[in-house]
Amino acid sequence: MPRNQQILLDNRPQGEATVDNFRLVTTDTPALQDGQVLVRHHYLSLDPYMRGRMNDSKSYAASQPLGEVMIGGTVGEVVESRHPAYAVGDKVVGMGGWQEYSVVDGNTPGMLRKVDTTHVPLSAYLGAVGMPGVTAWYGLVKIIAPKAGETVVVSAASGAVGSAFGALAKARGCRVVGIAGGPDKCRYVTEELGFDACIDHRANGDLKSMARALKEACPDGIDGYFENVGGYILDAVLLRANAFARVAVCGMIAGYDGQPLPLQNPALILINRMRVEGFIVSEHMEVWPEALKELGGLAASGKLRPRETIAQGLAAAPEAFLGLLKGKNFGKQLVKLV
């Protein structure tokens, strides 16, 4: 059996996460039992939610246990199987974690899913046609539920969730406005992803400036907002929101280091009779088939081909993850393991 490199959570962050919170180890891969498969991971997904799991605090999911392999989505290939539904060579997506191999119980529902790479590249199943894409789909379709002609806004627009949100919203006839960090990302959002406008939050780094930029980009106000960031950007969106606007709260990356994110004027939620709803996409598995079908079609047709930032080798994962939290990645952040 192959030797397996793994990255464990060694200790919890005190404030900002650092590379010293992680530990790289090498272990033996255990022999397979009946019903199990051995997966060689090709790519590891790095996502902002992982930062919240590193804390020992109350959240929607259990904290990442110390001394265990970091949680994470993976795509790869079955290299050994003792389960009739999986054959050597099958391409699969699962939650294999920060390691090169995983042993998976093929009888456990939702642990492993076979994917077709004929028209969609394997890595896309961790982004556009995976959890980030379904996240964008759920927030747009089930919470914002836009009508053609309405204006929708998404923060972190150049990332995996934001890029999928843009393609899905354009397909529904919306005016789509993104918020991203830096002129290069904003150009990518408008020129490659097809958004109608994009606001550079680095050039609009306070509430007054962001609200002014949103007024210019959204002359008819904001009907729907997909929240990935929090902080002053949410305050600015509330100032420009129309009556009965909907806000899908997916992430609050501005507060992942433990600082609370107060709202400056929550009365606007009442004044505008707004719907503000947080969601966790893994709690809505019933929508995944419908969402993945639409996302797969967009990806296969070339209408959804977001950029990827790829770190090489498992040892590079901690630095790449910390860079993701600071917005250093461009598009979906992956680690290539083969």
Side-chain angles (χ1 to χ4, degrees):
M1 298 296 284
R3 298 279 282 169
N4 184 23
Q5 280 198 320
Q6 303 174 314
I7 291 182
L8 317 180
L9 181 63
D10 186 65
N11 56 83
R12 302 204 185 278
Q14 304 299 315
E16 193 171 309
T18 72
V19 292
D20 294 331
N21 298 133
F22 305 97
R23 178 160 51 96
L24 178 67
V25 300
T26 302
T27 64
D28 291 317
T29 305
L32 295 188
Q33 306 295 315
D34 286 342
Q36 292 182 329
V37 296
L38 178 64
V39 179
R40 174 70 164 107
H41 301 151
H42 288 204
Y43 291 95
L44 163 67
S45 175
L46 298 179
D47 299 281
Y49 76 83
M50 297 170 176
R51 176 61 188 85
R53 298 281 185 93
M54 293 170 70
N55 296 332
D56 186 15
S57 57
K58 183 181 183 298
S59 186
Y60 60 85
S63 297
Q64 165 73 39
L66 291 176
E68 294 189 13
V69 176
M70 276 289 293
I71 188 173
T74 50
V75 288
E77 182 177 349
V78 175
V79 292
E80 186 181 345
S81 176
R82 294 187 64 178
H83 192 287
Y86 297 94
V88 172
D90 283 347
K91 300 298 191 296
V92 291
V93 59
M95 292 293 289
W98 293 28
Q99 56 183 341
E100 294 175 327
Y101 292 86
S102 61
V103 174
V104 183
D105 182 352
N107 294 315
T108 304
M111 287 295 288
L112 211 58
R113 179 168 59 91
K114 288 192 280 190
V115 295
D116 183 0
T117 57
T118 307
H119 302 293
V120 177
L122 184 60
S123 60
Y125 288 102
L126 291 176
V129 196
M131 181 271 290
V134 180
T135 298
W137 190 95
Y138 188 89
L140 178 71
V141 175
K142 295 299 185 181
I143 297 177
I144 296 173
K147 300 179 180 69
E150 289 192 323
T151 296
V152 295
V153 178
V154 58
S155 52
S158 67
V161 174
S163 56
F165 180 92
L168 293 163
K170 290 302 291 183
R172 285 161 174 77
C174 297
R175 176 174 174 80
V176 187
V177 176
I179 301 171
D184 289 343
K185 288 185 177 180
C186 284
R187 272 193 300 274
Y188 162 70
V189 166
T190 55
E191 294 175 8
E192 293 189 39
L193 297 179
F195 282 57
D196 295 285
C198 188
I199 298 166
D200 181 357
H201 67 74
R202 293 179 182 167
N204 298 276
D206 58 59
L207 174 58
K208 185 175 180 181
S209 178
M210 179 57 69
R212 186 166 56 241
L214 282 168
K215 184 176 183 179
E216 184 177 325
C218 309
D220 296 324
I222 296 170
D223 300 297
Y225 176 52
F226 192 102
E227 176 63 289
N228 288 311
V229 177
Y232 78 94
I233 294 176
L234 177 56
D235 286 320
V237 167
L238 293 181
L239 288 171
R240 298 300 309 149
N242 290 330
F244 306 105
R246 292 82 65 197
V247 179
V249 183
C250 169
M252 289 279 182
I253 197 170
Y256 280 174
D257 288 334
Q259 295 300 314
L261 295 175
L263 274 178
Q264 288 208 13
N265 196 353
L268 289 168
I269 297 171
L270 172 60
I271 293 166
N272 288 322
R273 289 86 80 208
M274 295 172 67
R275 176 187 181 187
V276 181
E277 182 174 339
F279 73 99
I280 306 301
V281 73
S282 59
E283 295 176 348
H284 303 282
M285 297 307 293
E286 73 283 355
V287 309
W288 281 58
E290 181 184 357
L292 288 171
K293 183 178 180 181
E294 181 176 359
L295 292 158
L298 289 170
S301 67
K303 294 178 180 177
L304 177 55
R305 282 296 173 95
R307 286 196 196 179
E308 296 172 339
T309 297
I310 300 178
Q312 298 292 329
L314 185 66
E319 285 281 9
F321 175 63
L322 299 177
L324 165 75
L325 296 178
K326 295 183 180 297
K328 293 182 180 179
N329 61 303
F330 208 127
K332 175 65 190 174
Q333 179 66 63
L334 299 168
V335 181
K336 195 172 191 297
L337 301 176
V338 296

